[in-house]
Amino acid sequence: MFDVIVPTYQPPISLLKKCLESIRKQSFQDYTVWICDGTPEDWRRYDAMQQVFEEYPEFNYEKQTGEGVSQARNQIIEKGSNPYIAFLDADDFWREDYLTNMYYEGIMKNHDEGINIWFSEIVEQLVEVHEGYLENVGKQGKVGIKIEKERIIQRYDVLNFIPFDYQLYFHVNSALWFSATIFTRKLIEEVPFKEDLFIGEDTHLTLECIKKGAKTQFLPFIGAHRNIHSAQATQRLATEPEWVAEQLKDLLDLQSQLTQDLIEDDSGRLTDYQKNILLVYLLGGKKRGYSFEGGSQSIYLISEEELELEELR
């Protein structure tokens, strides 16, 4: 039923293990896993990564032949044949009933409506590890302080109030997190990932699919967890602004054009309420679909040894 696509590149080992284990524990078991790894063999944690892969012999593993997450996804998608494609980044993980809910609440219920992209809510998890010191508790010494924060993103229930013909306007500034998104294989084969994009590739592919007539559906349940950490490729967003601007140029140009088109739209196909919703998302007022900004927070004390392990992940 599902081909599960997992691209990897120097993944944090503990998160990789959690990712793969979350697939194995799915309540819906009709799937095939395809891992495409682009990690160089001289990476200091390469052997540890390989040990994790060996724990999952039922998963298919292939060495990446090119560069970048887009190329890795295109390469490994060709190996499968199942009618639906589920993506999961190596530093994210699924809840146990993710595939079950996506299949029975999304695919099976709306197969005849022309919907071919389904997505759920996702919890964004931020882990901060700091050095600290214990005092006046029997002994003194260095410890690690781990702070875990989370919030729900991709809560796009307002999409249900938008006509299908206007989904392009919504998604141009409302990215889909692919770790909680499923596509039909037919659609992905018609619209492959653009391999010269290293950021924004998910949004670009989603928009190209919608331009070809694809329709998306939001499913109101938390399906996945997304982790934020220093090893992510998206950290370049803050350090290389010129590279980012070049990568996102086409997307930003389209966003600007659609905003102007929507302001001038007098077709009567949208109510004022619907137009205002779209303008809020187009102008960034609800960017990334955060349902709330606070979330929950937990603080843990960890030992010096654990601190060193966290720094090496």
Short mmCIF file of all heavy atoms in Angstrom, two decimals, residues 28 40 44 53 72 74 87 95 118 170-171 189 196 211 222 224 260 265 276 289 293 304:
data_model
loop_
_atom_site.label_atom_id
_atom_site.label_comp_id
_atom_site.label_asym_id
_atom_site.label_seq_id
_atom_site.Cartn_x
_atom_site.Cartn_y
_atom_site.Cartn_z
N PHE A 28 -0.57 -0.01 11.09
CA PHE A 28 -0.85 -0.38 9.71
C PHE A 28 0.44 -0.92 9.11
O PHE A 28 1.42 -0.19 8.97
CB PHE A 28 -1.33 0.86 8.94
CG PHE A 28 -1.87 0.57 7.56
CD1 PHE A 28 -3.23 0.45 7.34
CD2 PHE A 28 -1.01 0.42 6.47
CE1 PHE A 28 -3.73 0.20 6.08
CE2 PHE A 28 -1.50 0.16 5.21
CZ PHE A 28 -2.87 0.05 5.01
N PRO A 40 28.82 10.55 3.83
CA PRO A 40 30.17 10.12 3.45
C PRO A 40 30.72 9.12 4.47
O PRO A 40 30.45 9.21 5.67
CB PRO A 40 30.99 11.41 3.44
CG PRO A 40 30.22 12.35 4.31
CD PRO A 40 28.78 12.00 4.16
N ARG A 44 32.42 10.80 11.25
CA ARG A 44 32.88 10.22 12.50
C ARG A 44 31.88 9.26 13.12
O ARG A 44 32.26 8.38 13.91
CB ARG A 44 33.23 11.33 13.50
CG ARG A 44 32.08 12.26 13.79
CD ARG A 44 32.48 13.38 14.76
NE ARG A 44 31.45 14.39 14.90
CZ ARG A 44 30.34 14.24 15.61
NH1 ARG A 44 30.14 13.11 16.25
NH2 ARG A 44 29.45 15.21 15.68
N PHE A 53 21.13 0.88 10.97
CA PHE A 53 20.50 0.31 9.77
C PHE A 53 20.44 -1.21 9.85
O PHE A 53 19.45 -1.83 9.43
CB PHE A 53 21.28 0.73 8.52
CG PHE A 53 21.16 2.19 8.16
CD1 PHE A 53 22.21 2.86 7.56
CD2 PHE A 53 19.99 2.88 8.41
CE1 PHE A 53 22.10 4.20 7.22
CE2 PHE A 53 19.86 4.23 8.07
CZ PHE A 53 20.93 4.89 7.48
N ALA A 72 18.01 12.44 -3.57
CA ALA A 72 17.87 11.20 -2.82
C ALA A 72 16.44 10.67 -2.90
O ALA A 72 16.21 9.47 -3.10
CB ALA A 72 18.27 11.43 -1.36
N ASN A 74 14.12 11.35 -5.25
CA ASN A 74 13.83 10.89 -6.62
C ASN A 74 14.46 9.53 -6.88
O ASN A 74 13.83 8.65 -7.49
CB ASN A 74 14.36 11.91 -7.64
CG ASN A 74 13.52 13.16 -7.72
OD1 ASN A 74 12.35 13.16 -7.32
ND2 ASN A 74 14.09 14.23 -8.24
N PHE A 87 6.49 10.11 3.19
CA PHE A 87 7.84 10.58 3.45
C PHE A 87 8.07 10.68 4.95
O PHE A 87 7.16 11.05 5.71
CB PHE A 87 8.06 11.96 2.81
CG PHE A 87 7.95 11.96 1.31
CD1 PHE A 87 6.78 12.31 0.67
CD2 PHE A 87 9.04 11.60 0.53
CE1 PHE A 87 6.68 12.30 -0.71
CE2 PHE A 87 8.96 11.59 -0.85
CZ PHE A 87 7.78 11.94 -1.47
N ARG A 95 3.70 8.85 15.01
CA ARG A 95 2.91 8.20 16.04
C ARG A 95 2.42 6.85 15.50
O ARG A 95 2.33 6.65 14.30
CB ARG A 95 1.74 9.08 16.47
CG ARG A 95 2.19 10.35 17.20
CD ARG A 95 1.08 11.01 17.95
NE ARG A 95 1.59 12.12 18.76
CZ ARG A 95 0.85 12.83 19.60
NH1 ARG A 95 -0.44 12.56 19.73
NH2 ARG A 95 1.38 13.81 20.31
N TRP A 118 -2.57 14.07 1.13
CA TRP A 118 -3.17 14.09 2.46
C TRP A 118 -2.11 14.49 3.49
O TRP A 118 -0.96 14.02 3.41
CB TRP A 118 -3.72 12.72 2.83
CG TRP A 118 -4.79 12.23 1.90
CD1 TRP A 118 -6.14 12.36 2.06
CD2 TRP A 118 -4.60 11.52 0.67
NE1 TRP A 118 -6.81 11.78 1.00
CE2 TRP A 118 -5.88 11.25 0.13
CE3 TRP A 118 -3.48 11.08 -0.05
CZ2 TRP A 118 -6.07 10.57 -1.08
CZ3 TRP A 118 -3.66 10.41 -1.24
CH2 TRP A 118 -4.94 10.15 -1.75
N PHE A 170 -3.27 29.30 -0.97
CA PHE A 170 -3.05 28.94 0.44
C PHE A 170 -1.66 28.35 0.65
O PHE A 170 -0.92 28.75 1.54
CB PHE A 170 -4.12 27.94 0.89
CG PHE A 170 -3.97 27.49 2.32
CD1 PHE A 170 -4.53 28.22 3.35
CD2 PHE A 170 -3.27 26.34 2.63
CE1 PHE A 170 -4.39 27.82 4.67
CE2 PHE A 170 -3.12 25.92 3.94
CZ PHE A 170 -3.68 26.67 4.96
N HIS A 171 -1.29 27.39 -0.19
CA HIS A 171 -0.07 26.63 0.06
C HIS A 171 1.21 27.34 -0.34
O HIS A 171 2.30 26.90 0.05
CB HIS A 171 -0.15 25.27 -0.65
CG HIS A 171 -1.04 24.29 0.03
ND1 HIS A 171 -0.81 23.83 1.30
CD2 HIS A 171 -2.19 23.69 -0.38
CE1 HIS A 171 -1.77 22.97 1.65
NE2 HIS A 171 -2.61 22.88 0.65
N GLU A 189 5.27 10.67 -9.60
CA GLU A 189 5.99 10.30 -10.81
C GLU A 189 5.82 11.34 -11.91
O GLU A 189 6.70 11.52 -12.75
CB GLU A 189 5.52 8.92 -11.29
CG GLU A 189 6.00 7.79 -10.38
CD GLU A 189 5.52 6.41 -10.83
OE1 GLU A 189 4.57 6.36 -11.65
OE2 GLU A 189 6.07 5.41 -10.36
N ASP A 196 17.90 20.73 -8.12
CA ASP A 196 18.82 21.84 -7.84
C ASP A 196 18.33 22.68 -6.65
O ASP A 196 18.96 23.68 -6.29
CB ASP A 196 19.03 22.73 -9.06
CG ASP A 196 17.73 23.36 -9.57
OD1 ASP A 196 16.64 22.94 -9.13
OD2 ASP A 196 17.81 24.26 -10.41
N LYS A 211 -0.75 22.92 -9.36
CA LYS A 211 -0.89 23.52 -10.70
C LYS A 211 -1.38 22.48 -11.71
O LYS A 211 -2.05 22.83 -12.70
CB LYS A 211 0.45 24.09 -11.16
CG LYS A 211 0.88 25.36 -10.44
CD LYS A 211 2.24 25.81 -10.94
CE LYS A 211 2.76 27.02 -10.19
NZ LYS A 211 4.11 27.43 -10.66
N ILE A 222 -2.73 14.48 15.19
CA ILE A 222 -1.27 14.60 15.23
C ILE A 222 -0.68 13.28 14.73
O ILE A 222 -0.87 12.24 15.34
CB ILE A 222 -0.77 14.89 16.65
CG1 ILE A 222 -1.31 16.25 17.13
CG2 ILE A 222 0.76 14.89 16.70
CD1 ILE A 222 -1.00 16.56 18.57
N ALA A 224 2.81 13.07 13.40
CA ALA A 224 4.26 12.96 13.43
C ALA A 224 4.86 13.97 14.40
O ALA A 224 4.19 14.90 14.84
CB ALA A 224 4.84 13.16 12.03
N GLN A 260 -1.07 39.73 -5.28
CA GLN A 260 -1.66 40.79 -6.09
C GLN A 260 -2.90 40.30 -6.82
O GLN A 260 -3.93 41.00 -6.89
CB GLN A 260 -0.62 41.30 -7.11
CG GLN A 260 -1.07 42.52 -7.91
CD GLN A 260 -1.34 43.72 -7.02
OE1 GLN A 260 -0.63 43.95 -6.04
NE2 GLN A 260 -2.37 44.49 -7.35
N ASP A 265 -8.94 40.07 -7.30
CA ASP A 265 -9.93 39.06 -7.70
C ASP A 265 -11.35 39.57 -7.43
O ASP A 265 -11.73 39.84 -6.30
CB ASP A 265 -9.69 37.77 -6.91
CG ASP A 265 -10.56 36.61 -7.39
OD1 ASP A 265 -11.74 36.82 -7.68
OD2 ASP A 265 -10.04 35.48 -7.48
N ASN A 276 -10.19 36.99 2.91
CA ASN A 276 -9.40 37.48 4.04
C ASN A 276 -8.54 36.37 4.66
O ASN A 276 -7.40 36.60 5.07
CB ASN A 276 -10.32 38.08 5.10
CG ASN A 276 -10.90 39.41 4.68
OD1 ASN A 276 -10.32 40.11 3.84
ND2 ASN A 276 -12.05 39.78 5.23
N GLY A 289 1.49 27.63 10.03
CA GLY A 289 0.33 27.02 10.65
C GLY A 289 0.48 26.67 12.11
O GLY A 289 -0.05 25.67 12.57
N GLU A 293 1.62 29.26 20.27
CA GLU A 293 3.04 29.59 20.36
C GLU A 293 3.69 29.08 21.63
O GLU A 293 4.90 29.03 21.73
CB GLU A 293 3.22 31.12 20.28
CG GLU A 293 2.83 31.71 18.93
CD GLU A 293 3.67 31.17 17.79
OE1 GLU A 293 4.85 30.85 18.02
OE2 GLU A 293 3.17 31.05 16.67
N GLU A 304 27.34 14.45 32.81
CA GLU A 304 28.36 14.95 31.89
C GLU A 304 28.54 14.00 30.72
O GLU A 304 28.72 14.43 29.57
CB GLU A 304 29.69 15.12 32.64
CG GLU A 304 30.80 15.72 31.77
CD GLU A 304 32.05 16.01 32.57
OE1 GLU A 304 32.00 15.91 33.81
OE2 GLU A 304 33.06 16.35 31.95
#
